[in-house]
Amino acid sequence: MAKLFEALYHKVFVNIVVQRSQSIVYIEECSKKAVLKSDSETFNTTELSNKMCEYINSFTSESPFHYISILDTSDAQGAIPTCSSKEMSRFNDMTSSKYICHSNEWTYFTSKSNLDIIKYNYADIGVDFIFSPFTVLAHFFKDKIDSTLALYILLEDNYITISVFDNSRLLYGDHIDMEHGDDHDEMLMDESGDDDIDLDLDGSIDLDDVDAMDSMSDIEGLDDFGDIEDLDTLDDIDEFAETEHEEDFSDKYEETSVEDVSGFNEDYQRYSLIQSSINRFYKDHKYESKFVENVYVADAISVSGDLKRYLEEEMFLNVFIRQLDLGAEVCELAKADLK
């Protein structure tokens, strides 16, 4: 009877991405086999407004099978290269964090208090899933992560998410708030210390069980996002065009400055924060540092070509960029989590 009842209705996926000064709501109405309709609206607010609520309800009222997802915006989140609770403390104090092991290989975490805030702020519509930007990276670049040692970057309007993967194994993860970039730089410098290396450089969270620390419970018995399967059934993503460089790579970077930069701009700020974070990866003995030549960027904000140029000319990286619709990608995660 339940399956028959479900067959009478389509599934509605509501996906919310909060940016620096606005919120994007992306919606898909799906049958069992296809997307029937999609829609997107941008609201000039970072909270659930009456207009946003009315817009969402106009879709969710059409079906009892609706799922609301949001991308985690917590500053206090990250990813660490272990699933062992005994080893986690080497990388981060998890006392006030909610965490989940991804594919039995690495862990992503976020602030418990932030989950409570999100649950409270969106109580009028309810939230079924909160997805980590690290799981967005892992899903979006799965074709590369499974076989390539590289640096992977997600660019949002107000955040930068960084990870280094080596054949699907996470080596390093960092999440940076653009509005507190200077504080982040100072923190990285303090954590790195005076080392002898001369370098200059997931997932869904079930809100019904926010206080659990050992695992994330499923929504109505569904599998959690840490074990998403059948990702290979997604449409293949076009390969990047090859970029060639004539510079020779060495074992060490020399710190350089970008010349002819008129004033301070956000692309240069992003470059500086990425450089500082990678410097930490190379210097901090907690991480299994490996020399990285390639960087894959998931660009959700259409940055200018300056960032690519900074990374290529100043850090000697091979840079490949894919455009990303964050709302649509969060929707793909929600659909995969319900399989």
Side-chain angles (χ1 to χ4, degrees), residues 72-89:
D72 190 3
T73 58
S74 170
D75 294 342
Q77 63 176 307
I80 53 179
T82 182
C83 283
S84 170
S85 57
K86 294 181 179 179
E87 295 180 5
M88 288 180 185
S89 59

Side-chain angles (χ1 to χ4, degrees), residues 132-144:
S132 163
F134 289 97
T135 58
V136 171
L137 270 178
H139 185 274
F140 189 65
F141 284 122
K142 180 174 170 52
D143 61 319
K144 296 296 181 183

Side-chain angles (χ1 to χ4, degrees), residues 42-61:
T42 300
F43 298 88
N44 293 322
T45 177
T46 58
E47 299 178 348
L48 182 64
S49 64
N50 289 334
K51 288 185 178 180
M52 189 190 305
C53 198
E54 291 173 1
Y55 174 75
I56 292 172
N57 287 337
S58 69
F59 290 92
T60 58
S61 61

Side-chain angles (χ1 to χ4, degrees), residues 2 5 29 46 59 63 79 111 128 140 160 189 201 217 223 240:
F5 183 67
E29 183 179 335
T46 58
F59 290 92
S63 172
S111 163
D128 297 292
F140 189 65
I160 304 172
M189 291 175 64
L201 290 172
S217 299
D223 293 336
F240 295 103

Side-chain angles (χ1 to χ4, degrees), residues 190-203:
D190 291 340
E191 290 182 356
S192 296
D194 295 324
D195 295 292
D196 56 358
I197 302 176
D198 184 19
L199 297 171
D200 291 321
L201 290 172
D202 209 282

